[in-house]
Amino acid sequence: MLDSKGAVVTYPIIGAPDAANTAWVMASAALVLVMTPALAFFYGGMVRAKSVLNMMMMCFAAIGVVWVLWLVFGYSLAFGDDIGGVIGDPTQFAGLKHLFGGDYAPGEPASAAIPLVGTIPAMVFVMFQAGFAMVTVALIAGAVADRMKFTAWLLFAALWATLVYFPVAHWVFALDGLAAEKGGWIVNHLGAIDFAGGTAVEINSGASALVLALVVGTRRGWPRDPMRPHNLPAVMLGAGLLWLGWFGFNAGSALAADGTAALALANTLGAGAVSMMSWLLVERIRQGKPTSFGAASGVVAGLVAITPACASVTPIGALAIGIVAGAVSSLAIELKYKLGYDDSLDVVGVHLVGGVVGTVMIGLVASSASPAGVDGLFYGGGLDQLWRQLVAVLAVGGYAMAVTAVIALVLKATIGVRAHPQDEADGIDDAEHAETAYDMAASRGGRVDI
């Protein structure tokens, strides 16, 4: 690539980082990284007490598995120069080479000369995007709660990140000239808008969760036996921490402390808040009572839906997306009972459905007054952006389902994916981890000598 003066540009670009932008994205990276432990609380509270540790361990383990892969080749697969329109060059940044060496000169920041992505140090971008990969893998765990072997989960997580997440992240996030010269086809050639991961994170994980749940099979006794959340305060705590992390997730994706980040911040708050109220209204009408579980789920549904759209819609458009996401996701979680798939913690109903709602509605309510500069159908833009959004949804969802099916079926045929029936009945915390979340025996007192 040549710059405006005709000189050859090599990647990563070497230069002095912008201090304000760097500080904001570093803070955002920390917020995104805490989303995976937050998800562990959210999911952990939803399951029965006898398998809460296993559920939380599946989320925490995603951090370790993904980071090792991300460091060795994952970042390069996602953000290296495009190969064949499918994947990034796995050798370009393997081991994170070329991303941290430079002149860390003392004194003013302007005297430094280090690898950059945009105006921030490349290593800050590496960490920021690593958090996306970690939480996306962890999201899938909710669909197979209470019944999947931990070893099988670790292997699945590694294979899925390599074969599904890294390629799709390249399609969606690798903008030409950002981290490398040539990037992915969805963002650069199709022209679909996905600011922070409605396709790469939400639809990708939700579609894969559906397939994995079908391969692993239903929980024993489902849907006959009640399988209620064991700790609703933990669910609400997890939802609150996720909401906090989502500000970094969405507003941090601007990669700058600027007006785009400010709009994304406001839209993230608005969509989450109104989606919660929309979900509760549907609950009140259908079941007679608004629940804390519904409030937490409604918040997450709205955050999911605004993720791709937070820089392409106005605050009013964000409210529209939140209203639709809360209501539709609330209705969608009932589909598992009608269709017979056991999506334990509603990954499909919230993340797949919410991701589709948010991604498609960009084609309806996007406004050229926003940083994306595109009008949707309701703003006079016609069908041009809508069809692009639909193609992105179908491409990512279809690819994720196909590759996940292959991974899951291979694991099922080789090492097996299902816990032993007795372990499921007793609770897989003890069988898989030799621990229990709550030591009830110790709380009952002991012998009293009189």
Side-chain angles (χ1 to χ4, degrees):
M1 178 179 287
L2 303 179
D3 63 14
S4 59
K5 297 180 180 179
V8 176
V9 178
T10 58
Y11 291 88
I13 294 173
I14 304 297
D18 180 278
N21 293 345
T22 299
W24 167 238
V25 183
M26 287 179 71
S28 295
L31 290 172
V32 174
L33 288 168
V34 85
M35 289 178 74
T36 303
L39 183 70
F41 272 101
F42 185 64
Y43 277 175
M46 288 186 183
V47 299
R48 291 171 289 179
K50 62 184 181 180
S51 54
V52 57
L53 288 180
N54 177 257
M55 186 71 262
M56 298 184 79
M57 281 288 289
M58 291 172 81
C59 294
F60 270 84
I63 297 174
V65 170
V66 171
W67 175 250
V68 171
L69 299 176
W70 192 247
L71 184 153
V72 176
F73 59 80
Y75 176 82
S76 196
L77 282 174
F79 290 100
D81 270 317
D82 184 72
I83 297 177
V86 177
I87 199 65
D89 183 349
T91 66
Q92 187 172 0
F93 303 121
L96 303 184
K97 64 183 179 182
H98 309 311
L99 297 175
F100 53 86
D103 181 9
Y104 294 82
E108 294 297 323
S111 64
I114 63 174
L116 301 179
V117 171
T119 62
I120 65 173
M123 286 301 295
V124 175
F125 183 72
V126 168
M127 294 298 297
F128 180 67
Q129 284 292 336
F132 280 61
M134 291 167 185
V135 76
T136 305
V137 173
L139 283 170
I140 302 171
V144 289
D146 297 337
R147 61 196 189 277
M148 188 171 182
K149 292 195 298 185
F150 189 64
T151 301
W153 165 251
L154 294 177
L155 289 172
F156 173 84
L159 291 169
W160 190 87
T162 301
L163 300 177
V164 181
Y165 182 78
F166 299 156
V168 174
H170 178 73
W171 303 350
V172 175
F173 294 141
L175 189 69
D176 285 350
L178 178 64
E181 181 177 356
K182 296 294 183 182
W185 69 275
I186 286 180
V187 63
N188 295 299
H189 303 298
L190 177 62
I193 296 173
D194 186 352
F195 189 70
T199 54
V201 175
E202 308 300 349
I203 293 173
N204 206 9
S205 61
S208 300
L210 174 59
V211 172
L212 185 60
L214 290 172
V215 173
V216 175
T218 63
R219 288 168 289 179
R220 298 185 185 279
W222 183 89
R224 181 189 66 249
D225 299 336
M227 298 181 181
R228 293 185 291 269
H230 90 284
N231 192 330
L232 287 170
V235 174
M236 298 197 77
L237 172 64
L241 290 173
L242 282 169
W243 204 345
L244 174 65
W246 232 295
F247 289 122
F249 200 80
N250 287 353
S253 292
L255 301 183
D258 61 8
T260 301
L263 179 63
L265 202 69
N267 285 345
T268 300
L269 173 62
V274 77
S275 178
M276 172 178 64
M277 303 310 297
S278 177
W279 187 299
L280 292 178
L281 178 60
V282 171
E283 269 194 336
R284 179 68 176 82
I285 294 171
R286 299 184 72 225
Q287 301 172 17
K289 302 285 184 180
T291 67
S292 60
F293 186 82
S297 299
V299 167
V300 174
L303 297 172
V304 166
I306 200 59
T307 291
C310 55
S312 58
V313 300
T314 67
I316 295 299
L319 294 186
I321 289 174
I323 290 169
V324 174
V328 173
S329 293
S330 180
L331 296 171
I333 62 172
E334 301 296 329
L335 288 175
K336 64 184 181 182
Y337 299 106
K338 295 180 180 179
L339 301 179
Y341 62 89
D342 183 11
D343 171 22
S344 308
L345 307 185
D346 301 320
V347 185
V348 177
V350 173
H351 293 274
L352 175 58
V353 173
V356 171
V357 167
T359 304
V360 172
M361 283 192 69
I362 292 172
L364 302 177
V365 299
S367 168
S368 58
S370 69
V374 173
D375 282 322
L377 178 63
F378 296 166
Y379 284 74
L383 298 175
D384 183 65
Q385 194 60 44
L386 181 59
W387 76 260
R388 299 176 193 275
Q389 301 303 119
L390 288 169
V391 170
V393 166
L394 294 173
V396 171
Y399 177 80
M401 293 180 78
V403 180
T404 301
V406 173
I407 295 171
L409 289 170
V410 168
L411 290 176
K412 183 177 183 179
T414 52
I415 66 169
V417 294
R418 188 79 186 234
H420 190 278
Q422 189 60 53
D423 294 339
E424 289 186 50
D426 295 340
I428 57 177
D429 280 359
D430 187 59
E432 293 287 340
H433 308 291
E435 297 174 306
T436 57
Y438 308 103
D439 189 354
M440 300 302 183
S443 66
R444 294 175 183 170
R447 177 181 174 180
V448 177
D449 294 324
I450 299 176

